[in-house]
Amino acid sequence: MPAFLFRRPALVALLLGALAATGFAPLQLWPLTLIGLAGLAALVHAAPTGRRALWIGWCWGVGHFTINNNWFQHAFDFQDKMPPVLGYFAAVGLALYLAVFPMLVSGIGWRFGRRERPDAAYALLFGAAWIGSEYLRATLFTGYAWDPIGVIWLPVIGVARLSAWIGTYALSGVTVLMAVSLLLLSQRRWRLPAGLAAVLALAAISAPWTRAPATAPDAPLLRVVQPNIGQDARGQDDQERMLAALIRQSGRPGPRPRLVLWPEGVMRDYLESGYPRWIYDGQSPLFNRWRLAQLLGPRDILLTGHTPLRFDAAGDVAGAANAVVAIDSRARIVGRYDKAHLVPFGEYLPMPWLLRPIGIARLVPGDFDFDDGPGPRTLAIPGFGAIGFQTCYEIIFSGEVVDRAHRPQMIFNPSTDAWFGRWGPPQHLAQARMRAIEEGLPIVRSTPTGISAVIAADGTLLATVPHETAGAIALPMPPAPPPTLFSRIGNAAALIVGLAFLIAAIAIRRRAR
């Protein structure tokens, strides 16, 4: 880096972090992410003290996460209890917290990896620390796993498919190792950067040979529906209009069985029986299910988002779940999945004893928090086999999306991305593609406003409905190949790669002595 950039390292770090964020969707300028990471490592190495290195890493993180999560502000546009302008402060506030993780990486890199000049051990230690930081970010305080660095490789799908072996967090470590090793080129040290470049190049050109099997022409049909109903038009009074839009895109029964897939958050009518009569307000849950069943042929199944209620002993509403229910042509509920990994501030308010008195509320209207479900589940859907479920935000958590004791043939990921502006939906889709690659399973996304998609088990997009477009996808159900290595060992792969980097760094330093 030019010498004058080291005169204002905090400002330069802030800008480099923002630059690195452009490697993710929708921009996908992934070489800039490598430059941003290399610049961070150079600034940290040049820091005179450990405290200054921590400050540089934190500034980089603020720039990175403010740009990467700019869509977070849009959620406040639909909140009556808090002004929309608060969303800008919330987006920056989230970045102030998330910046702690690159700060920790920078502190570790400076303390244990710094020498007179950057070397391979420094790059390896930086990569190992980054793996650990992303895993911590995904787990602490219920976790926020949005956009690990490894996601930038989706435009180079062969490299992204390395996550089938090592997972996304370890792929992030490899990416950081590659970026930091670029500093070695200034010293005419070619071995590490050339070796890594060769590995990534081989992975990139391997894409034609790592494709998922072709879809069987006689496979059951999927009908993925996107009604293009925005968040501001999904109140109780709009239910009939939403239902008409869903029915319009759901097609007609045919000779082959169809799995009709509707999004999260569009079904307001109560579908389950057994509630107190006053809840239904004159409606019949059987009639509500019967109306949906009229769309289905005798072997069809409808999967739709739904909000079942929970009651206390006095018969009052005590809670609700964010669920997906399966309805057959006889208007029966033949399966239900309750979302387990709930969204802080969206589906529940953390620390309500502190936040409610100062006027902080959930971003989703409602008087009570959602109940969390038991975790990833696989349901046997008649005629379609084992289907896994991950609702909306759950799909971003690497290694946590499949019931490993009952491996599904496909994962259904209903979502409601209308909250998240124009940057959020393509980023959400990208992370679903990474889960498909890691687990070796097709994933189907249905959202109210997009981007709905059918994703093959190798991460390929078989079909999409674009953002803010009404439409439907009709495709045969993609096959599930044999389990990947990552699907067998999960995030132990990240631990193995991180330890390998650490051991290699120690070996290099000892040999240098």
Side-chain angles (χ1 to χ4, degrees):
M1 293 175 66
F4 70 89
L5 295 179
F6 292 94
R7 297 171 189 166
R8 296 288 186 271
L11 176 61
V12 173
L14 188 78
L15 296 175
L16 286 171
L19 182 73
T22 64
F24 297 93
L27 301 180
Q28 296 187 316
L29 304 174
W30 60 267
L32 298 185
T33 301
L34 299 181
I35 293 172
L37 289 165
L40 170 64
L43 291 172
V44 167
H45 189 272
T49 65
R51 181 176 296 181
R52 183 64 62 86
L54 291 169
W55 173 241
I56 288 168
W58 187 79
C59 290
W60 189 96
V62 170
H64 180 75
F65 291 113
T66 298
I67 298 301
N68 183 250
N69 294 305
N70 71 78
W71 52 266
F72 193 75
Q73 177 278 327
H74 192 65
F76 285 75
D77 293 343
F78 307 102
Q79 173 56 261
D80 293 333
K81 296 181 181 180
M82 292 181 286
V85 69
L86 187 60
Y88 295 99
F89 295 98
V92 176
L94 177 63
L96 298 180
Y97 159 66
L98 296 175
V100 168
F101 296 99
M103 180 186 78
L104 292 174
V105 173
S106 299
I108 292 170
W110 189 92
R111 175 64 181 83
F112 298 104
R114 185 171 176 265
R115 289 293 185 272
E116 182 179 350
R117 295 186 300 176
D119 60 1
Y122 179 66
L124 285 160
L125 186 63
F126 225 86
W130 200 279
I131 293 172
S133 76
E134 285 198 342
Y135 182 78
L136 285 176
R137 175 159 68 90
T139 53
L140 288 179
F141 309 116
T142 78
Y144 185 79
W146 194 268
D147 270 351
I149 289 293
V151 178
I152 68 167
W153 290 111
L154 277 169
V156 190
I157 191 67
V159 176
R161 287 176 186 161
L162 289 174
S163 62
W165 297 87
I166 61 175
T168 300
Y169 302 141
L171 181 59
S172 294
V174 172
T175 306
V176 171
L177 174 60
M178 179 67 205
V180 180
S181 71
L182 296 177
L183 300 180
L184 276 61
L185 296 178
S186 62
Q187 306 166 31
R188 297 183 180 180
R189 296 183 180 183
W190 304 94
R191 186 176 301 175
L192 180 60
L196 284 170
V199 169
L200 296 179
L202 287 173
I205 64 176
S206 73
W209 295 276
T210 55
R211 291 175 179 165
T215 301
D218 58 346
L221 293 176
L222 304 175
R223 180 82 182 191
V224 186
V225 176
Q226 180 170 300
N228 196 30
I229 301 292
Q231 189 66 35
D232 54 351
R234 274 191 269 161
Q236 190 67 41
D237 295 339
D238 298 296
Q239 178 61 38
E240 289 302 318
R241 185 164 68 88
M242 290 192 294
L243 189 57
L246 290 162
I247 291 172
R248 191 162 51 246
Q249 298 294 342
S250 294
R252 298 179 179 274
R256 291 162 65 182
R258 298 183 311 151
L259 190 62
V260 182
L261 303 121
W262 285 6
E264 175 195 22
V266 294
M267 179 51 59
R268 303 297 191 196
D269 292 338
Y270 294 116
L271 301 176
E272 295 192 346
S273 304
Y275 296 168
R277 293 183 63 182
W278 62 269
I279 286 289
Y280 296 115
D281 194 23
Q283 289 187 333
S284 163
L286 178 59
F287 173 75
N288 292 337
R289 297 197 304 268
W290 176 84
R291 284 204 300 175
L292 303 183
Q294 300 313 297
L295 301 170
L296 307 175
R299 295 188 293 165
D300 294 351
I301 296 288
L302 169 67
L303 299 180
T304 180
H306 172 49
T307 308
L309 303 178
R310 176 174 58 84
F311 298 86
D312 59 21
D316 297 323
V317 178
N322 187 352
V324 182
V325 292
I327 298 174
D328 69 9
S329 61
R330 297 171 63 184
R332 300 176 300 180
I333 294 178
V334 295
R336 172 177 146 183
Y337 167 76
D338 290 357
K339 184 177 182 181
H341 209 134
L342 302 176
V343 181
F345 298 98
E347 291 161 316
Y348 74 97
L349 184 67
M351 299 183 294
W353 51 270
L354 172 65
L355 299 179
R356 283 201 176 106
I358 62 175
I360 303 297
R362 287 170 45 213
L363 300 177
V364 177
D367 297 326
F368 43 78
D369 290 346
F370 283 93
D371 299 331
D372 53 342
R377 286 188 63 198
T378 300
L379 300 181
I381 302 299
F384 298 91
I387 305 296
F389 294 84
Q390 290 287 287
T391 300
C392 196
Y393 172 78
E394 291 184 302
I395 202 68
I396 73 171
F397 291 91
S398 174
E400 300 179 31
V401 300
V402 167
D403 178 357
R404 301 199 183 280
H406 304 92
R407 180 174 167 83
Q409 297 169 250
M410 184 187 86
I411 297 175
F412 178 40
N413 175 223
S415 188
T416 177
D417 290 2
W419 289 92
F420 302 131
R422 294 190 174 276
W423 279 50
Q427 290 180 0
H428 206 173
L429 173 63
Q431 292 170 91
R433 293 178 67 189
M434 294 300 291
R435 299 296 85 72
I437 295 169
E438 285 177 337
E439 301 292 345
L441 291 172
I443 293 178
V444 179
R445 304 192 75 238
S446 176
T447 80
T449 59
I451 305 166
S452 299
V454 176
I455 308 168
D458 60 5
T460 301
L461 291 173
L462 299 179
T464 63
V465 181
H467 191 222
E468 296 182 342
T469 303
I473 299 168
L475 281 179
M477 185 172 167
T484 63
L485 176 64
F486 181 83
S487 72
R488 295 178 186 276
I489 67 174
N491 280 315
L495 177 62
I496 292 169
V497 174
L499 286 175
F501 284 5
L502 186 59
I503 292 169
I506 293 171
I508 289 171
R509 284 290 162 83
R510 287 188 173 180
R511 186 175 64 180
R513 290 176 184 173

